[in-house]
């Protein structure tokens, strides 16, 4: 249920020209075609919306958060380099206390 709620928030938090995918177990990938400052604002708004959610499961209320890693595509960058930068920033978020956005 938590993944369903998160997926809904990701989908609503981006424009129609952008894309949201479930990337792996608990990971999502957002492709947002905008500038750095707007991308950070979008990610932070999504993070705050997720943080405010509470899902009921088997009689218990479950709170959850999101850690995000952002990067910017540059001309000539291959997908391996792009995903490596995103992953490094994601782990910076996770290792510095979670529930944050790192660019």
């Amino acid at each position: 249920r938590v993944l369903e709620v998160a997926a809904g928030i990701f989908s609503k938090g981006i424009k129609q020209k952008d894309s949201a995918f479930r990337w792996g177990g608990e990971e999502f990938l957002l492709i947002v075609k905008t500038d750095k400052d707007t991308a950070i604002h979008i990610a932070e708004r999504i993070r705050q919306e997720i943080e405010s959610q509470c899902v009921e499961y088997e009689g218990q209320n479950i709170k959850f958060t999101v850690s995000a890693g952002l990067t910017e595509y540059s001309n000539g960058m291959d997908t391996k380099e792009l995903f490596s930068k995103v992953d490094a920033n994601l782990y910076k978020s996770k290792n510095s206390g979670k529930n944050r956005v790192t660019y």
Side-chain angles (χ1 to χ4, degrees):
R1 180 75 184 120
V2 168
L3 293 175
E4 290 173 350
V5 171
I9 292 168
F10 288 129
S11 294
K12 289 181 208 169
I14 60 174
K15 294 181 179 180
Q16 190 172 1
K17 68 178 180 167
D18 301 324
S19 301
F21 307 93
R22 183 167 173 205
W23 188 248
E26 299 173 353
E27 294 181 346
F28 289 83
L29 174 65
L30 303 182
I31 299 174
V32 181
K33 300 169 188 166
T34 191
D35 61 90
K36 174 185 173 183
D37 291 336
T38 303
I40 291 169
H41 177 76
I42 291 167
E44 183 60 30
R45 188 178 69 235
I46 289 171
R47 186 200 64 74
Q48 290 174 3
E49 177 68 20
I50 287 176
E51 179 182 45
S52 74
Q53 299 299 305
C54 187
V55 173
E56 187 178 333
Y57 179 74
E58 295 185 355
Q60 294 188 21
N61 292 323
I62 299 171
K63 300 284 289 174
F64 56 103
T65 61
V66 64
S67 298
L70 280 66
T71 197
E72 183 175 13
Y73 172 79
S74 301
N75 285 333
M77 183 182 287
D78 65 24
T79 55
K80 184 176 179 180
E81 181 182 5
L82 182 66
F83 288 118
S84 178
K85 286 184 175 190
V86 168
D87 200 47
N89 288 337
L90 170 62
Y91 279 93
K92 285 179 186 175
S93 287
K94 288 182 175 184
N95 292 331
S96 61
K98 301 181 182 176
N99 193 28
R100 62 189 69 226
V101 173
T102 302
Y103 184 94

